[in-house]
């Protein structure tokens, strides 16, 4: 965690490509969604880009999330036409189901309180904040939204 230079506000930083961080999409925490067992959120996310069932299965079986990501960048296979419109929803679904499957990961996210979360992936200005912290930070925003949803669900149980 570090303090944002602009505001002295606390900021939790992570990178979604860190397989050792349970909140990252690369963390190897298998879950079931859409009738399949996914080795990681990254596997699920990358596979959902494509309609070709054989290619989806190839991505699902990739040995490491980085391999799934590489397959997901293939120019040989056609992406879904609606991918840009649904990609955040897909990442959110996978991450939320991972949190529901692993209560300790949900708790880890809840334990961040109200601290802003930033994906500091240096060259990704959509999912990450980029090297200059001017990126969209869609991954950090998504984690904060899931944290809010988990908090609401927990409050309803009381």
């Amino acid at each position: 965690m570090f303090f944002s230079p602009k505001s002295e506000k606390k900021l939790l930083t992570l990178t979604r490509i860190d397989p050792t961080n349970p909140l990252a999409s690369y963390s190897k925490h298998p879950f079931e969604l859409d009738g399949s067992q996914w080795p990681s959120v990254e596997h699920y996310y990358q596979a959902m880009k494509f309609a070709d069932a054989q290619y989806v299965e190839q991505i699902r079986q990739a040995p490491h999330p980085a391999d799934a990501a590489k397959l997901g960048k293939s120019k040989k296979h056609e992406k879904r036409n609606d991918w840009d419109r649904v990609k955040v929803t897909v990442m959110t679904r996978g991450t939320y189901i991972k949190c529901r499957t692993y209560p300790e990961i949900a708790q880890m996210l809840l334990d961040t309180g109200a601290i802003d979360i930033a994906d500091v992936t240096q060259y990704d200005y959509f999912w990450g904040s980029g090297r200059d912290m001017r990126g969209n930070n869609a991954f950090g925003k998504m984690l904060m939204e899931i944290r809010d949803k988990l908090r609401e669900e927990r409050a309803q149980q009381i």
Side-chain angles (χ1 to χ4, degrees):
M1 183 175 353
F2 74 92
F3 291 93
S4 173
K6 293 181 182 173
S7 66
E8 293 301 313
K9 187 176 185 179
K10 286 184 180 178
L11 179 67
L12 174 67
T13 60
L14 56 86
T15 175
R16 73 183 183 289
I17 62 171
D18 177 2
T20 66
N21 185 331
L23 296 176
S25 64
Y26 274 41
S27 74
K28 293 182 179 181
H29 288 87
F31 60 93
E32 190 171 324
L33 185 57
D34 296 337
S36 293
Q37 184 80 12
W38 299 96
S40 73
V41 172
E42 192 67 22
H43 282 81
Y44 176 72
Y45 173 80
Q46 296 298 339
M48 292 300 103
K49 290 179 179 179
F50 305 97
D52 178 347
Q54 284 184 307
Y55 197 60
V56 166
E57 184 60 16
Q58 184 179 344
I59 294 170
R60 192 182 73 77
Q61 291 185 21
H64 190 276
D67 298 319
K70 186 175 181 179
L71 291 168
K73 292 178 177 134
S74 171
K75 303 287 188 218
K76 296 177 186 174
H77 299 271
E78 192 173 325
K79 280 186 196 171
R80 296 167 44 165
N81 291 335
D82 64 347
W83 182 245
D84 283 337
R85 190 171 46 81
V86 302
K87 65 185 177 184
V88 173
T89 301
V90 169
M91 182 70 84
T92 302
R93 282 185 75 216
T95 304
Y96 174 75
I97 294 300
K98 177 174 76 170
C99 286
R100 297 295 304 197
T101 303
Y102 298 93
E104 66 276 13
I105 296 175
Q107 190 60 54
M108 180 184 203
L109 185 55
L110 287 165
D111 287 347
T112 64
I115 294 172
D116 285 347
I117 301 172
D119 175 359
V120 292
T121 308
Q122 196 172 21
Y123 298 106
D124 187 335
Y125 280 75
F126 178 75
W127 289 110
S129 55
R131 81 174 131 240
D132 59 6
M133 300 298 283
R134 292 184 187 179
N136 188 46
N137 189 34
F139 192 77
K141 291 174 184 175
M142 177 212 59
L143 286 174
M144 291 184 284
E145 288 172 10
I146 291 172
R147 178 180 64 194
D148 291 345
K149 181 175 176 71
L150 292 170
R151 192 176 291 128
E152 286 172 22
E153 290 173 354
R154 195 165 276 182
Q156 290 175 357
Q157 293 173 353
I158 298 174

